[in-house]
Amino acid sequence: MTTITFFRLSFLLLFLSHAFSDLCNPQDKKVLLQIKKDLNNPYLLASWDPNTDCCDWYTINCDPKTHRINSLTIFSSTPDTNFSAQIPPSVGLLPYLETLEFHKLPKLTGPLPPAITKLTHLKFLRISWTNLSGPVPAFLSELTNLTFLDLSFNNLTGSIPGSLGNLENLDAIHLDRNHLTGSIPPSFGSFKSNPDIYLSHNNLSGTIPTSFKNLNSTVIDLSRNKLVGDASPVFGSALQRVDLSRNQFSFDLSKVEFAPSLTSLDLNHNKVYGNIPQVLTTLDLQFLNVSYNRLCGQIPVGGKLQNFDVYEYFHNKCLCGSPLPSCKN
């Protein structure tokens, strides 16, 4: 074998070895490189080298059988203030994407692009701790396979689109820590999958839709809003944790039907009245706070009600009994 022939054969073997080792779909790779460019080539994506297999790139996951990109998770363990960009429409060109995440990127700005609706296989969407602005897009309801939606800790404004109630596969929806206004859509009481609902730290107003009585969610957090009226519709049969604190709710606590599964109840800073019902002594409560309300009567003895601190009960109209001072005869 001549030297020239040897080198030709070696080059061919090297080429074939590289070709077979590069499992990433060429079109997916092209799209990813476009996404990197659209994001201004951030340091977080330094591993996205066009000369390497994109299935080995950081923040990327490929399906083990098809080798199509099914997960794109761009995040920083601490807030990355050098990552400055908007979410590019090019993310909508990864047709097999099931997970999309942008997290702890405070200089990620702008609205969520409509191109995201092209991701018909998307199940997990998290865009949190960013500077995402504009309204919560109604077009998210087109992502019918979503099981998890997290848009928390952003700068979203406007009202919550009722069309999100059409997402039939949701396990959880996080819209907390934004600047949302308006009322809670009645459609949120019609979720077929009974997702955990997090709407806290917004400027929501109005009453809780009566349709919430149809829910069997395990977690409902509506705290730190401007909600009013009767909150008893939230106490479904599967509820484990509920936080209604720092609103303006006004209802008779003694008439609420509590779920046996309830382990955490926070009602502090409202206008709740009546007395604390005896049934709470039968629950495995791990947390309770009813302070700053208008409750009266003796705190029932039994269960775990005496395990909580005085600060979980104080500043009520005429509540008494351990751990508060004894009731006057």
Side-chain angles (χ1 to χ4, degrees):
M1 180 183 296
T2 66
T3 301
I4 294 176
T5 303
F6 174 78
F7 277 114
R8 284 177 177 174
L9 181 60
S10 297
F11 178 79
L12 178 62
L13 290 174
L14 182 64
F15 175 80
L16 290 175
S17 174
H18 176 75
F20 283 114
S21 64
D22 197 349
L23 300 176
C24 181
N25 178 273
Q27 181 59 29
D28 286 353
K29 187 173 187 178
K30 180 180 179 181
V31 170
L32 288 172
L33 291 172
Q34 182 63 49
I35 291 173
K36 181 180 179 182
K37 180 180 178 182
D38 293 342
L39 292 174
N40 302 317
N41 299 303
Y43 177 75
L44 274 174
L45 305 184
S47 69
W48 292 22
D49 183 345
N51 297 315
T52 60
D53 183 1
C54 71
C55 287
D56 295 329
W57 291 354
Y58 181 64
T59 78
I60 295 297
N61 189 69
C62 290
D63 183 276
K65 294 182 179 179
T66 66
H67 309 299
R68 301 302 299 261
I69 303 299
N70 62 12
S71 176
L72 172 58
T73 57
I74 301 176
F75 63 92
S76 177
S77 56
T78 58
D80 188 340
T81 57
N82 295 316
F83 190 109
S84 181
Q86 294 189 11
I87 299 173
S90 46
V91 298
L93 300 177
L94 295 170
Y96 293 92
L97 207 62
E98 296 181 5
T99 297
L100 177 62
E101 178 175 5
F102 291 89
H103 181 58
K104 286 194 175 179
L105 304 169
K107 288 190 177 180
L108 186 70
T109 61
L112 196 60
I116 201 172
T117 58
K118 297 178 182 179
L119 304 175
T120 56
H121 291 86
L122 200 63
K123 296 179 180 179
F124 183 103
L125 176 60
R126 169 180 280 155
I127 303 175
S128 60
W129 294 80
T130 76
N131 245 319
L132 192 73
S133 59
V136 177
F139 59 66
L140 290 176
S141 62
E142 298 177 34
L143 300 172
T144 55
N145 288 311
L146 275 184
T147 60
F148 185 87
L149 174 61
D150 184 358
L151 299 179
S152 63
F153 289 87
N154 291 302
N155 281 314
L156 297 172
T157 56
S159 58
I160 301 173
S163 59
L164 295 185
N166 297 327
L167 293 170
E168 298 183 354
N169 298 302
L170 276 185
D171 294 325
I173 179 168
H174 293 256
L175 300 178
D176 47 305
R177 306 271 181 169
N178 281 287
H179 306 288
L180 302 176
T181 55
S183 58
I184 300 173
S187 61
F188 271 39
S190 302
F191 280 117
K192 294 183 178 179
S193 54
N194 296 306
D196 294 338
I197 298 175
Y198 298 85
L199 303 179
S200 71
H201 294 76
N202 280 292
N203 293 304
L204 299 174
S205 57
T207 60
I208 295 177
T210 56
S211 56
F212 265 57
K213 65 184 179 182
N214 301 318
L215 281 177
N216 284 311
S217 300
T218 57
V219 178
I220 294 180
D221 186 352
L222 309 179
S223 62
R224 294 180 182 265
N225 280 289
K226 299 176 181 178
L227 298 167
V228 300
D230 186 3
S232 57
V234 306
F235 292 93
S237 60
L239 194 64
Q240 295 178 17
R241 294 189 291 119
V242 59
D243 191 345
L244 306 176
S245 63
R246 295 184 181 271
N247 281 283
Q248 300 174 38
F249 290 120
S250 178
F251 60 96
D252 188 342
L253 187 64
S254 64
K255 295 183 179 180
V256 174
E257 295 184 15
F258 293 97
S261 54
L262 190 67
T263 61
S264 178
L265 174 63
D266 196 345
L267 299 174
N268 80 81
H269 287 81
N270 279 287
K271 300 176 182 178
V272 181
Y273 56 91
N275 53 49
I276 296 177
Q278 185 71 34
V279 68
L280 290 185
T281 64
T282 67
L283 305 182
D284 185 23
L285 288 175
Q286 305 300 312
F287 180 86
L288 174 69
N289 192 336
V290 294
S291 63
Y292 289 91
N293 279 288
R294 299 176 180 179
L295 296 169
C296 268
Q298 181 169 348
I299 299 171
V301 176
K304 296 187 175 180
L305 295 189
Q306 276 66 51
N307 294 349
F308 300 109
D309 196 276
V310 63
Y311 298 106
E312 271 71 67
Y313 292 104
F314 77 161
H315 280 279
N316 273 285
K317 185 177 180 181
C318 48
L319 202 60
C320 58
S322 179
L324 293 177
S326 300
C327 299
K328 297 179 180 179
N329 294 329

mmCIF file of all heavy atoms in Angstrom, residues 120-150:
data_model
loop_
_atom_site.group_PDB
_atom_site.id
_atom_site.type_symbol
_atom_site.label_atom_id
_atom_site.label_comp_id
_atom_site.label_asym_id
_atom_site.label_seq_id
_atom_site.Cartn_x
_atom_site.Cartn_y
_atom_site.Cartn_z
ATOM 1 N N THR A 120 -45.913 21.438 18.638
ATOM 2 C CA THR A 120 -47.141 20.689 18.949
ATOM 3 C C THR A 120 -46.912 19.519 19.907
ATOM 4 O O THR A 120 -47.871 18.976 20.461
ATOM 5 C CB THR A 120 -47.792 20.171 17.663
ATOM 6 O OG1 THR A 120 -46.840 19.372 16.939
ATOM 7 C CG2 THR A 120 -48.242 21.337 16.785
ATOM 8 N N HIS A 121 -45.648 19.117 20.109
ATOM 9 C CA HIS A 121 -45.348 18.029 21.038
ATOM 10 C C HIS A 121 -44.963 18.542 22.419
ATOM 11 O O HIS A 121 -44.671 17.737 23.314
ATOM 12 C CB HIS A 121 -44.204 17.160 20.494
ATOM 13 C CG HIS A 121 -44.567 16.361 19.281
ATOM 14 N ND1 HIS A 121 -44.484 16.857 17.998
ATOM 15 C CD2 HIS A 121 -45.019 15.088 19.146
ATOM 16 C CE1 HIS A 121 -44.861 15.931 17.135
ATOM 17 N NE2 HIS A 121 -45.192 14.855 17.808
ATOM 18 N N LEU A 122 -44.959 19.855 22.606
ATOM 19 C CA LEU A 122 -44.460 20.434 23.850
ATOM 20 C C LEU A 122 -45.317 20.023 25.040
ATOM 21 O O LEU A 122 -46.535 20.164 25.038
ATOM 22 C CB LEU A 122 -44.432 21.960 23.728
ATOM 23 C CG LEU A 122 -43.513 22.707 24.704
ATOM 24 C CD1 LEU A 122 -42.056 22.312 24.468
ATOM 25 C CD2 LEU A 122 -43.676 24.206 24.556
ATOM 26 N N LYS A 123 -44.641 19.525 26.092
ATOM 27 C CA LYS A 123 -45.317 19.121 27.322
ATOM 28 C C LYS A 123 -44.924 19.995 28.514
ATOM 29 O O LYS A 123 -45.738 20.233 29.399
ATOM 30 C CB LYS A 123 -44.982 17.652 27.650
ATOM 31 C CG LYS A 123 -45.482 16.658 26.614
ATOM 32 C CD LYS A 123 -45.075 15.239 27.003
ATOM 33 C CE LYS A 123 -45.561 14.234 25.977
ATOM 34 N NZ LYS A 123 -45.145 12.842 26.323
ATOM 35 N N PHE A 124 -43.683 20.448 28.518
ATOM 36 C CA PHE A 124 -43.141 21.192 29.661
ATOM 37 C C PHE A 124 -42.642 22.541 29.161
ATOM 38 O O PHE A 124 -41.724 22.605 28.338
ATOM 39 C CB PHE A 124 -42.000 20.388 30.283
ATOM 40 C CG PHE A 124 -41.390 20.990 31.522
ATOM 41 C CD1 PHE A 124 -41.702 20.484 32.773
ATOM 42 C CD2 PHE A 124 -40.478 22.036 31.433
ATOM 43 C CE1 PHE A 124 -41.116 21.030 33.920
ATOM 44 C CE2 PHE A 124 -39.899 22.579 32.564
ATOM 45 C CZ PHE A 124 -40.216 22.075 33.818
ATOM 46 N N LEU A 125 -43.238 23.622 29.655
ATOM 47 C CA LEU A 125 -42.818 24.974 29.277
ATOM 48 C C LEU A 125 -42.551 25.785 30.538
ATOM 49 O O LEU A 125 -43.469 26.030 31.327
ATOM 50 C CB LEU A 125 -43.887 25.664 28.428
ATOM 51 C CG LEU A 125 -43.601 27.130 28.049
ATOM 52 C CD1 LEU A 125 -42.316 27.242 27.235
ATOM 53 C CD2 LEU A 125 -44.777 27.728 27.277
ATOM 54 N N ARG A 126 -41.315 26.171 30.738
ATOM 55 C CA ARG A 126 -40.962 27.019 31.879
ATOM 56 C C ARG A 126 -40.144 28.209 31.371
ATOM 57 O O ARG A 126 -39.045 28.037 30.830
ATOM 58 C CB ARG A 126 -40.151 26.257 32.916
ATOM 59 C CG ARG A 126 -39.528 27.181 33.987
ATOM 60 C CD ARG A 126 -38.720 26.423 35.004
ATOM 61 N NE ARG A 126 -39.572 25.810 36.008
ATOM 62 C CZ ARG A 126 -39.239 24.743 36.708
ATOM 63 N NH1 ARG A 126 -38.088 24.131 36.465
ATOM 64 N NH2 ARG A 126 -40.063 24.244 37.614
ATOM 65 N N ILE A 127 -40.688 29.401 31.600
ATOM 66 C CA ILE A 127 -39.952 30.645 31.357
ATOM 67 C C ILE A 127 -40.131 31.467 32.623
ATOM 68 O O ILE A 127 -41.164 32.108 32.829
ATOM 69 C CB ILE A 127 -40.469 31.387 30.122
ATOM 70 C CG1 ILE A 127 -40.389 30.469 28.900
ATOM 71 C CG2 ILE A 127 -39.652 32.658 29.886
ATOM 72 C CD1 ILE A 127 -40.982 31.060 27.650
ATOM 73 N N SER A 128 -39.150 31.401 33.511
ATOM 74 C CA SER A 128 -39.292 31.993 34.841
ATOM 75 C C SER A 128 -38.031 32.721 35.258
ATOM 76 O O SER A 128 -36.930 32.432 34.769
ATOM 77 C CB SER A 128 -39.627 30.903 35.863
ATOM 78 O OG SER A 128 -38.600 29.932 35.917
ATOM 79 N N TRP A 129 -38.200 33.679 36.174
ATOM 80 C CA TRP A 129 -37.090 34.514 36.646
ATOM 81 C C TRP A 129 -36.408 35.212 35.472
ATOM 82 O O TRP A 129 -35.185 35.205 35.339
ATOM 83 C CB TRP A 129 -36.081 33.689 37.441
ATOM 84 C CG TRP A 129 -36.574 33.142 38.734
ATOM 85 C CD1 TRP A 129 -37.338 32.028 38.906
ATOM 86 C CD2 TRP A 129 -36.351 33.669 40.049
ATOM 87 N NE1 TRP A 129 -37.604 31.814 40.239
ATOM 88 C CE2 TRP A 129 -36.995 32.814 40.974
ATOM 89 C CE3 TRP A 129 -35.655 34.772 40.537
ATOM 90 C CZ2 TRP A 129 -36.975 33.035 42.345
ATOM 91 C CZ3 TRP A 129 -35.627 34.981 41.909
ATOM 92 C CH2 TRP A 129 -36.283 34.124 42.791
ATOM 93 N N THR A 130 -37.217 35.780 34.574
ATOM 94 C CA THR A 130 -36.691 36.539 33.446
ATOM 95 C C THR A 130 -37.372 37.907 33.436
ATOM 96 O O THR A 130 -38.100 38.248 34.366
ATOM 97 C CB THR A 130 -36.960 35.831 32.105
ATOM 98 O OG1 THR A 130 -38.332 36.000 31.725
ATOM 99 C CG2 THR A 130 -36.623 34.347 32.175
ATOM 100 N N ASN A 131 -37.155 38.666 32.388
ATOM 101 C CA ASN A 131 -37.837 39.943 32.218
ATOM 102 C C ASN A 131 -38.873 39.847 31.106
ATOM 103 O O ASN A 131 -39.158 40.848 30.428
ATOM 104 C CB ASN A 131 -36.841 41.065 31.912
ATOM 105 C CG ASN A 131 -36.815 42.107 33.027
ATOM 106 O OD1 ASN A 131 -37.856 42.474 33.554
ATOM 107 N ND2 ASN A 131 -35.632 42.581 33.379
ATOM 108 N N LEU A 132 -39.412 38.658 30.912
ATOM 109 C CA LEU A 132 -40.471 38.456 29.930
ATOM 110 C C LEU A 132 -41.616 39.431 30.222
ATOM 111 O O LEU A 132 -42.040 39.565 31.367
ATOM 112 C CB LEU A 132 -40.978 37.024 30.008
ATOM 113 C CG LEU A 132 -41.889 36.544 28.873
ATOM 114 C CD1 LEU A 132 -41.083 36.329 27.608
ATOM 115 C CD2 LEU A 132 -42.587 35.253 29.279
ATOM 116 N N SER A 133 -42.092 40.128 29.197
ATOM 117 C CA SER A 133 -43.117 41.148 29.397
ATOM 118 C C SER A 133 -44.281 40.927 28.443
ATOM 119 O O SER A 133 -44.303 39.977 27.664
ATOM 120 C CB SER A 133 -42.516 42.539 29.201
ATOM 121 O OG SER A 133 -41.969 42.672 27.900
ATOM 122 N N GLY A 134 -45.251 41.858 28.527
ATOM 123 C CA GLY A 134 -46.447 41.716 27.713
ATOM 124 C C GLY A 134 -47.479 40.848 28.401
ATOM 125 O O GLY A 134 -47.306 40.449 29.557
ATOM 126 N N PRO A 135 -48.554 40.523 27.718
ATOM 127 C CA PRO A 135 -49.616 39.709 28.327
ATOM 128 C C PRO A 135 -49.280 38.225 28.319
ATOM 129 O O PRO A 135 -48.373 37.783 27.602
ATOM 130 C CB PRO A 135 -50.814 39.988 27.415
ATOM 131 C CG PRO A 135 -50.195 40.238 26.075
ATOM 132 C CD PRO A 135 -48.899 40.951 26.346
ATOM 133 N N VAL A 136 -50.007 37.473 29.132
ATOM 134 C CA VAL A 136 -49.954 36.010 29.018
ATOM 135 C C VAL A 136 -50.644 35.668 27.702
ATOM 136 O O VAL A 136 -51.827 35.948 27.525
ATOM 137 C CB VAL A 136 -50.690 35.331 30.187
ATOM 138 C CG1 VAL A 136 -50.694 33.809 30.001
ATOM 139 C CG2 VAL A 136 -50.049 35.707 31.508
ATOM 140 N N PRO A 137 -49.932 35.081 26.753
ATOM 141 C CA PRO A 137 -50.507 34.890 25.421
ATOM 142 C C PRO A 137 -51.663 33.880 25.407
ATOM 143 O O PRO A 137 -51.534 32.777 25.947
ATOM 144 C CB PRO A 137 -49.336 34.367 24.583
ATOM 145 C CG PRO A 137 -48.113 34.675 25.383
ATOM 146 C CD PRO A 137 -48.536 34.625 26.817
ATOM 147 N N ALA A 138 -52.754 34.266 24.782
ATOM 148 C CA ALA A 138 -53.883 33.345 24.622
ATOM 149 C C ALA A 138 -53.508 32.162 23.738
ATOM 150 O O ALA A 138 -54.083 31.076 23.862
ATOM 151 C CB ALA A 138 -55.082 34.086 24.047
ATOM 152 N N PHE A 139 -52.506 32.366 22.858
ATOM 153 C CA PHE A 139 -52.154 31.277 21.936
ATOM 154 C C PHE A 139 -51.529 30.079 22.639
ATOM 155 O O PHE A 139 -51.374 29.007 22.053
ATOM 156 C CB PHE A 139 -51.245 31.780 20.808
ATOM 157 C CG PHE A 139 -49.932 32.386 21.231
ATOM 158 C CD1 PHE A 139 -48.937 31.636 21.829
ATOM 159 C CD2 PHE A 139 -49.675 33.734 20.981
ATOM 160 C CE1 PHE A 139 -47.725 32.197 22.196
ATOM 161 C CE2 PHE A 139 -48.469 34.314 21.344
ATOM 162 C CZ PHE A 139 -47.482 33.537 21.942
ATOM 163 N N LEU A 140 -51.183 30.217 23.917
ATOM 164 C CA LEU A 140 -50.653 29.060 24.648
ATOM 165 C C LEU A 140 -51.673 27.934 24.733
ATOM 166 O O LEU A 140 -51.303 26.771 24.915
ATOM 167 C CB LEU A 140 -50.218 29.485 26.053
ATOM 168 C CG LEU A 140 -48.983 30.375 26.153
ATOM 169 C CD1 LEU A 140 -48.746 30.788 27.603
ATOM 170 C CD2 LEU A 140 -47.754 29.664 25.601
ATOM 171 N N SER A 141 -52.940 28.268 24.609
ATOM 172 C CA SER A 141 -53.984 27.237 24.657
ATOM 173 C C SER A 141 -53.903 26.289 23.469
ATOM 174 O O SER A 141 -54.516 25.221 23.482
ATOM 175 C CB SER A 141 -55.365 27.886 24.712
ATOM 176 O OG SER A 141 -55.609 28.651 23.550
ATOM 177 N N GLU A 142 -53.145 26.671 22.437
ATOM 178 C CA GLU A 142 -52.962 25.796 21.272
ATOM 179 C C GLU A 142 -51.979 24.668 21.564
ATOM 180 O O GLU A 142 -51.904 23.694 20.811
ATOM 181 C CB GLU A 142 -52.486 26.620 20.076
ATOM 182 C CG GLU A 142 -53.467 27.697 19.624
ATOM 183 C CD GLU A 142 -52.941 28.534 18.479
ATOM 184 O OE1 GLU A 142 -52.201 27.964 17.632
ATOM 185 O OE2 GLU A 142 -53.237 29.741 18.424
ATOM 186 N N LEU A 143 -51.225 24.783 22.647
ATOM 187 C CA LEU A 143 -50.263 23.744 23.020
ATOM 188 C C LEU A 143 -50.982 22.689 23.858
ATOM 189 O O LEU A 143 -50.802 22.580 25.072
ATOM 190 C CB LEU A 143 -49.093 24.355 23.783
ATOM 191 C CG LEU A 143 -48.282 25.408 23.015
ATOM 192 C CD1 LEU A 143 -47.275 26.093 23.942
ATOM 193 C CD2 LEU A 143 -47.570 24.769 21.831
ATOM 194 N N THR A 144 -51.790 21.914 23.213
ATOM 195 C CA THR A 144 -52.749 21.039 23.898
ATOM 196 C C THR A 144 -52.107 19.882 24.657
ATOM 197 O O THR A 144 -52.778 19.221 25.455
ATOM 198 C CB THR A 144 -53.765 20.471 22.892
ATOM 199 O OG1 THR A 144 -53.061 19.810 21.835
ATOM 200 C CG2 THR A 144 -54.614 21.588 22.298
ATOM 201 N N ASN A 145 -50.811 19.619 24.421
ATOM 202 C CA ASN A 145 -50.139 18.531 25.130
ATOM 203 C C ASN A 145 -49.434 18.997 26.395
ATOM 204 O O ASN A 145 -48.815 18.179 27.091
ATOM 205 C CB ASN A 145 -49.122 17.843 24.207
ATOM 206 C CG ASN A 145 -49.804 17.000 23.138
ATOM 207 O OD1 ASN A 145 -50.685 16.217 23.440
ATOM 208 N ND2 ASN A 145 -49.406 17.174 21.889
ATOM 209 N N LEU A 146 -49.522 20.285 26.718
ATOM 210 C CA LEU A 146 -48.836 20.800 27.897
ATOM 211 C C LEU A 146 -49.317 20.113 29.177
ATOM 212 O O LEU A 146 -50.517 20.031 29.432
ATOM 213 C CB LEU A 146 -49.061 22.300 28.043
ATOM 214 C CG LEU A 146 -48.151 23.261 27.269
ATOM 215 C CD1 LEU A 146 -48.486 24.692 27.645
ATOM 216 C CD2 LEU A 146 -46.677 22.980 27.519
ATOM 217 N N THR A 147 -48.368 19.655 29.973
ATOM 218 C CA THR A 147 -48.679 19.132 31.304
ATOM 219 C C THR A 147 -48.153 20.067 32.395
ATOM 220 O O THR A 147 -48.570 19.961 33.550
ATOM 221 C CB THR A 147 -48.072 17.736 31.519
ATOM 222 O OG1 THR A 147 -46.644 17.814 31.380
ATOM 223 C CG2 THR A 147 -48.627 16.749 30.501
ATOM 224 N N PHE A 148 -47.243 20.970 32.023
ATOM 225 C CA PHE A 148 -46.653 21.894 33.004
ATOM 226 C C PHE A 148 -46.417 23.238 32.336
ATOM 227 O O PHE A 148 -45.751 23.313 31.299
ATOM 228 C CB PHE A 148 -45.333 21.330 33.531
ATOM 229 C CG PHE A 148 -44.705 22.144 34.628
ATOM 230 C CD1 PHE A 148 -45.049 21.941 35.955
ATOM 231 C CD2 PHE A 148 -43.754 23.109 34.329
ATOM 232 C CE1 PHE A 148 -44.458 22.688 36.972
ATOM 233 C CE2 PHE A 148 -43.163 23.860 35.335
ATOM 234 C CZ PHE A 148 -43.510 23.650 36.658
ATOM 235 N N LEU A 149 -46.960 24.299 32.932
ATOM 236 C CA LEU A 149 -46.792 25.656 32.411
ATOM 237 C C LEU A 149 -46.328 26.557 33.542
ATOM 238 O O LEU A 149 -47.042 26.737 34.532
ATOM 239 C CB LEU A 149 -48.106 26.178 31.825
ATOM 240 C CG LEU A 149 -48.108 27.644 31.365
ATOM 241 C CD1 LEU A 149 -47.079 27.873 30.266
ATOM 242 C CD2 LEU A 149 -49.504 28.054 30.876
ATOM 243 N N ASP A 150 -45.141 27.127 33.397
ATOM 244 C CA ASP A 150 -44.575 27.996 34.435
ATOM 245 C C ASP A 150 -44.094 29.290 33.803
ATOM 246 O O ASP A 150 -43.097 29.305 33.073
ATOM 247 C CB ASP A 150 -43.411 27.287 35.134
ATOM 248 C CG ASP A 150 -42.838 28.108 36.294
ATOM 249 O OD1 ASP A 150 -43.318 29.235 36.532
ATOM 250 O OD2 ASP A 150 -41.913 27.613 36.962
#
